[in-house]
Every structure is written in C-alpha cells, then in structure tokens.
Amino acid sequence: MHAWTAGQVLEAPRGRKLFITDVIPFSQLNEPDANPEGFLIKFVFNEAEVHDQRAMKYELDDFMFEQMCQAEGFGD
C-alpha cells in the first residue's frame, strides 16, 4: 500500500490531475465494519475545489483508491 497524504497531487496521462484533500484513519471514524488500519481518502479532480468547503469531494477507502489510481494511470 502507498502512503497517501493530504495535499498530494497525482498526475495521469494527458495532463489530468487528482488532488487529495483529506486522509482520515478509519480508527477516528465511527465505521465499525471498516478496516481499523485503513484510511478514508477524499479527493477532487479540479484544483479550484481543493479548498471549497461546498464542493463535493469523492471518497474511497485506501485499497479502492489505490486500485482506481492504477486503473486510471495516476501516479506521483
């Protein structure tokens, strides 16, 4: 697994970017079925939405986030 951090920007082919806004340990959330060692990752695809509290942020657990990044070509 990768160590994702808030503020990290991932790039994919053709100039696409993904902006990680939050990385929250499941141990801090009230999610009894979640992996206590896992993380909830929130992200956006538009830089203008990074600090916009009203913007909808995508959310995935760290495993699914890693799978999506690999499938879409996002990397450091």
Side-chain angles (χ1 to χ4, degrees), residues 53-69:
Q53 298 299 318
R54 296 171 293 146
M56 186 193 99
K57 301 202 172 33
Y58 297 91
E59 298 180 356
L60 289 174
D61 66 38
D62 52 335
F63 177 78
M64 292 303 295
F65 183 79
E66 181 116 11
Q67 299 298 310
M68 189 253 335
C69 286

Side-chain angles (χ1 to χ4, degrees), residues 12-42:
R14 298 184 307 272
R16 296 182 307 146
K17 292 185 178 181
L18 178 154
F19 303 86
I20 299 176
T21 60
D22 300 282
V23 178
I24 306 166
F26 278 123
S27 62
Q28 292 180 4
L29 302 173
N30 189 17
E31 295 288 337
D33 296 331
N35 173 2
E37 296 177 12
F39 296 88
L40 176 67
I41 299 174
K42 295 184 179 186

Side-chain angles (χ1 to χ4, degrees), residues 5-11 16-20 47 50 75-76:
T5 57
Q8 193 171 5
V9 179
L10 305 178
E11 294 191 42
R16 296 182 307 146
K17 292 185 178 181
L18 178 154
F19 303 86
I20 299 176
E47 187 172 12
V50 170
D76 297 318

